[in-house]
Amino acid sequence: MDKIEGSVLRSPADVRGFADFDGPLYYAPTGFIDRADDPQTLPLAGGRRGFSALEIIRRNEGGGAQSMILPLLALEGWVQNSGRVDEINAVLDRLTGNRRAFANQDMESTHVMGIVNVTPDSFSDGGDHNSVEQAIAHGRALAAHGASILDIGGESTRPGAAPVSIDEEIARVVPVIQALSADGHCVSVDTRHGAVMKAAMQAGAHIINDVTALAGDEESLEFVSQSDDAPVILMHMQGEPGTMQDNPQYDCVLLDVYDYLLDRIESCEQAGISRDRICVDPGIGFGKSLSHNLELLSRLALFHGLGCPVLLGASRKSFIGKIDPAATPKQRLGGSLTAALNGWRQGAQILRVHDVEETVQALSVASAIGAV
């Protein structure tokens, strides 16, 4: 069992049950609104959206978890009864604190990261931009449509993907990075290999985006720790791309992914990579079933408790196809936009997408409606 049994508080016993719990608790903001200085809300990660309640989650013995939802107006009394004053203050500091600019991008609002796959075998656009010239043109088009960041990848990490050689990956991404960074665009490199990271940064990349959270190559953590303040995105993946969808299992996917990312952040800090250089990504579709992905999407705001910007990459993913089996990857725009807006609603600072123009428009409309 890995789902969270959530409920609204129904009795004083519900409150006491969580107050008396002596294990670790997890805190997911909920009750989201456009803040407009509403005194009954707190700012989410220093941004323009706010939250009015906390879902407090605890693990169950034997797997799974349960939760209660506590309005902020009732939080002070519960904190006093639980004896977790210092813990809650630290949690609220992380949940509400301003995020430092990430690669010179202001983290008070949501940014769209455009995907540029220089690969023949990516799951939805493999071969579409396989030449250097095509990839550069595509990156420029995405930037013109509103992408704040361009994410360049030379190795497919779709389920069942075969690895490519380091030299081939470098040959694919470096010319594209050189051209797009020379244009003045903010460029990230999507790679799990230290040698590719080094070549990409030398070519002008600003961000390292690693699906293995700097754990897949012993050179990667050392390289990033020795680089000059290079920002890094740490993603959760269970297993390897070739096998990650072979019956993935968790005790509680939400809390397991949270604990993994916290462990990777702490490992980075021990290596000299400060937390304000780190962005986290729960890794939708990377070693997760449909129910795992939906659980992560429904409580994405939990990850703000790590004190880092949050990236959501759900664009065209297979979980959409499992809900709508008739839709090919390129026919999953509706599901992709829904997931993106859900991420925006929960304060995600970066949305990694294929369909930049449509996502930017959806965010603009949602923001305009919320501002009324």
Side-chain angles (χ1 to χ4, degrees), residues 34-54:
D34 282 285
R35 230 180 136 243
D37 296 322
D38 187 321
Q40 297 183 10
T41 69
L42 289 173
L44 186 58
R48 297 163 190 168
R49 298 188 61 73
F51 62 99
S52 61
L54 281 178

Side-chain angles (χ1 to χ4, degrees), residues 231-309:
V232 60
I233 300 166
L234 306 179
M235 195 197 80
H236 174 275
M237 174 173 61
Q238 187 180 92
E240 292 289 328
T243 59
M244 63 187 178
Q245 290 306 109
D246 296 346
N247 193 30
Q249 298 288 325
Y250 298 87
D251 289 333
C252 174
V253 65
L254 183 74
L255 306 186
D256 290 356
V257 172
Y258 184 96
D259 287 346
Y260 171 86
L261 290 172
L262 176 59
D263 178 74
R264 293 308 304 152
I265 289 169
E266 291 174 345
S267 294
C268 287
E269 288 179 321
Q270 291 169 8
I273 303 168
S274 62
R275 193 173 297 225
D276 59 16
R277 293 171 56 188
I278 296 171
C279 175
V280 294
D281 175 357
I284 300 299
F286 284 80
K288 283 103 177 168
S289 67
L290 173 61
S291 64
H292 295 147
N293 290 316
L294 295 178
E295 187 76 25
L296 289 166
L297 289 167
S298 70
R299 292 176 170 92
L300 183 70
L302 174 77
F303 296 98
H304 291 298
L306 294 168
C308 304

Side-chain angles (χ1 to χ4, degrees), residues 88-134:
I88 293 292
N89 285 337
V91 166
L92 290 177
D93 283 346
R94 291 193 298 272
L95 289 175
T96 64
N98 294 325
R99 301 296 187 253
R100 179 184 171 187
F102 192 75
N104 294 321
Q105 304 298 312
D106 181 1
M107 292 290 103
E108 286 190 6
S109 57
T110 299
H111 293 266
V112 174
M113 170 189 277
I115 299 170
V116 182
N117 286 322
V118 197
T119 59
D121 57 345
S122 291
F123 77 96
S124 88
D125 59 355
D128 288 358
H129 319 293
N130 198 27
S131 73
V132 169
E133 293 77 15
Q134 289 172 325

Side-chain angles (χ1 to χ4, degrees), residues 299-321:
R299 292 176 170 92
L300 183 70
L302 174 77
F303 296 98
H304 291 298
L306 294 168
C308 304
V310 175
L311 181 149
L312 175 64
S315 178
R316 301 184 184 177
K317 292 284 179 75
S318 63
F319 79 91
I320 302 171

